[in-house]
Amino acid sequence: MSQPKVFITRRLPTQLEQLQEIASIEVWTERQPPPYEILLEKIQSIDGLLCLLTDRIDRQLLEAATSLKVISQMAVGYDNIDIPAATSQQIPVGHTPGVLTDATADFAWALLMAAARRVVEADRFTRAGEWRTWEPDLLLGPNITGATLGIVGFGRIGQAVARRAKGFEMRILYTSRHRCEPELEQSLAVEFVAFDRLLCESDFVTIHTPLSEDTYHLFSDREFEQMKPSSILINTSRGAVVDPDGLYQALSTGQIAGAALDVTEPEPIPMDSSLLTLDNVIIAPHLGSASRQTREKMANMAIENLMAGLRGDRLPYCVNPEVY
Ligand code: DGY
């Protein structure tokens, strides 16, 4: 009997031996993702797809997938995949929750500290030969210790950010669709507040909500108007949660003091984006989960999901369990 066919849309930071024993594998080895037309061609003859957040898996693609038994995404977020379409085709979709929580919270924290204490500007300043003496008012930023942190979205990553904030003796506010248990609130020393109050009172606002119809451009003119002029916005979730034009306006007019983004709309950020002209924004190329150990775990988890799907077993980390 011939082996099931699998297409993997990029080189993975792990070994494929186990998968090779049960499937015939094709790996897309280019640095850029496979173009949509290639995906459309491949999807017609494969049993399993291992994809990344840069691959658009839409209804048209899924309707062409007549033999596909499983989609396994190497990411926790899956807004690039039309889940209702996959579900209507009875295709289980896997993702990688949990393993990237700490790495992403660490990176949100790195961005917060870099933006507050102007680390990127300081490095540019030094390399430009501007460091001539110690100056009492050089590159000043706000205090982090003791400041108010507003966390928007309080799932695993939001909570991990709160745990770190506790060590900085911060006042921690959060807003979320669901309020968490009083015991958890107490142990993390967090206060549940309405979104608008969080915006008005926070010195730092960090976004950890998935992208959905409800969170698309959640941060736009109205929200920036409510934030403190001294506040700093951190986004490690999805770029489209923030309206880039509104953010440019807010940063360039002093409505907010700074921003640090690991994600942008679109990705990659176009080189003519007005945001790139500003000194008070730091932009990283979507690195939240980019620790070696985390990326390896994500790849292994994605393979685990893929193999389960090929065997016809329930995916251990399934986004649409209603297919079963
Ligand atoms: C995810 O997993 O959704 C991140 O954005 C990439 O690690």
Side-chain angles (χ1 to χ4, degrees):
M1 211 176 83
S2 67
Q3 287 189 317
K5 283 165 76 175
V6 163
F7 185 56
I8 304 182
T9 64
R10 226 68 59 77
R11 281 205 186 97
L12 300 181
T14 190
Q15 305 301 325
L16 297 177
E17 273 104 10
Q18 262 193 313
L19 181 61
Q20 257 151 359
E21 283 172 19
I22 65 154
S24 134
I25 306 172
E26 183 183 353
V27 180
W28 181 260
T29 53
E30 313 274 319
R31 185 167 172 219
Q32 290 300 320
Y36 185 79
E37 298 67 45
I38 299 274
L39 272 179
L40 194 56
E41 180 205 314
K42 300 283 176 200
I43 205 98
Q44 299 178 32
S45 61
I46 57 174
D47 302 277
L49 174 70
L50 197 155
C51 56
L52 306 187
L53 50 87
T54 43
D55 303 312
R56 178 161 56 91
I57 313 296
D58 61 12
R59 185 171 285 276
Q60 172 181 253
L61 201 86
L62 289 164
E63 280 172 358
T66 49
S67 53
L68 195 64
K69 294 185 187 63
V70 53
I71 298 171
S72 175
Q73 161 116 321
M74 187 186 133
V76 65
Y78 45 82
D79 46 276
N80 56 310
I81 304 175
D82 186 335
I83 301 295
T87 306
S88 68
Q89 306 263 115
Q90 297 287 106
I91 302 171
V93 178
H95 69 148
T96 64
V99 287
L100 48 82
T101 301
D102 285 318
T104 309
D106 289 347
F107 199 70
W109 210 258
L111 288 178
L112 184 153
M113 298 193 81
R117 300 305 304 275
R118 304 175 65 177
V119 176
V120 176
E121 278 175 90
D123 181 72
R124 281 194 211 118
F125 181 88
T126 305
R127 286 169 197 265
E130 295 287 330
W131 182 9
R132 303 214 174 89
T133 179
W134 188 89
E135 295 171 76
D137 59 352
L138 178 64
L139 289 167
L140 302 184
N143 269 342
I144 297 168
T145 300
T148 298
L149 175 68
I151 304 178
V152 177
F154 210 59
R156 294 184 196 85
I157 300 174
Q159 291 172 26
V161 168
R163 275 197 292 282
R164 286 152 178 75
K166 226 178 138 186
F168 285 85
E169 297 161 28
M170 292 176 108
R171 173 176 170 240
I172 311 167
L173 309 177
Y174 81 95
T175 192
S176 180
R177 265 187 310 157
H178 307 290
R179 183 168 180 174
C180 57
E181 296 297 315
E183 296 74 35
L184 184 62
E185 285 188 357
Q186 216 175 357
S187 75
L188 293 174
V190 295
E191 187 185 345
F192 179 75
V193 293
F195 183 43
D196 286 359
R197 186 170 150 213
L198 180 143
L199 295 175
C200 297
E201 294 187 14
S202 300
D203 300 304
F204 299 94
V205 175
T206 181
I207 308 176
H208 302 286
T209 179
L211 177 63
S212 66
E213 275 175 19
D214 294 339
T215 61
Y216 176 77
H217 286 192
L218 179 66
F219 282 78
S220 204
D221 298 342
R222 188 195 79 89
E223 289 68 34
F224 295 124
E225 274 158 26
Q226 294 187 72
M227 290 171 67
K228 293 184 185 181
S230 56
S231 65
I232 292 177
L233 179 75
I234 298 103
N235 188 10
T236 52
S237 67
R238 284 293 182 266
V241 176
V242 176
D243 164 19
D245 297 331
L247 180 61
Y248 173 77
Q249 195 62 19
L251 287 167
S252 59
T253 58
Q255 223 158 43
I256 68 170
L261 312 173
D262 184 39
V263 287
T264 58
E265 185 199 25
E267 284 185 17
I269 191 165
M271 288 313 288
D272 61 357
S273 164
S274 50
L275 285 170
L276 292 173
T277 64
L278 301 174
D279 280 335
N280 55 349
V281 59
I282 296 172
I283 304 175
H286 205 142
L287 295 177
S289 61
S291 79
R292 283 185 206 92
Q293 296 88 335
T294 300
R295 287 284 167 86
E296 189 179 339
K297 282 186 194 157
M298 288 167 71
N300 288 339
M301 216 162 159
I303 289 175
E304 213 186 314
N305 273 328
L306 184 71
M307 289 178 63
L310 292 175
R311 284 193 302 258
D313 294 344
R314 202 182 167 97
L315 308 196
Y317 313 99
C318 189
V319 169
N320 56 346
E322 55 278 21
V323 296
Y324 296 114

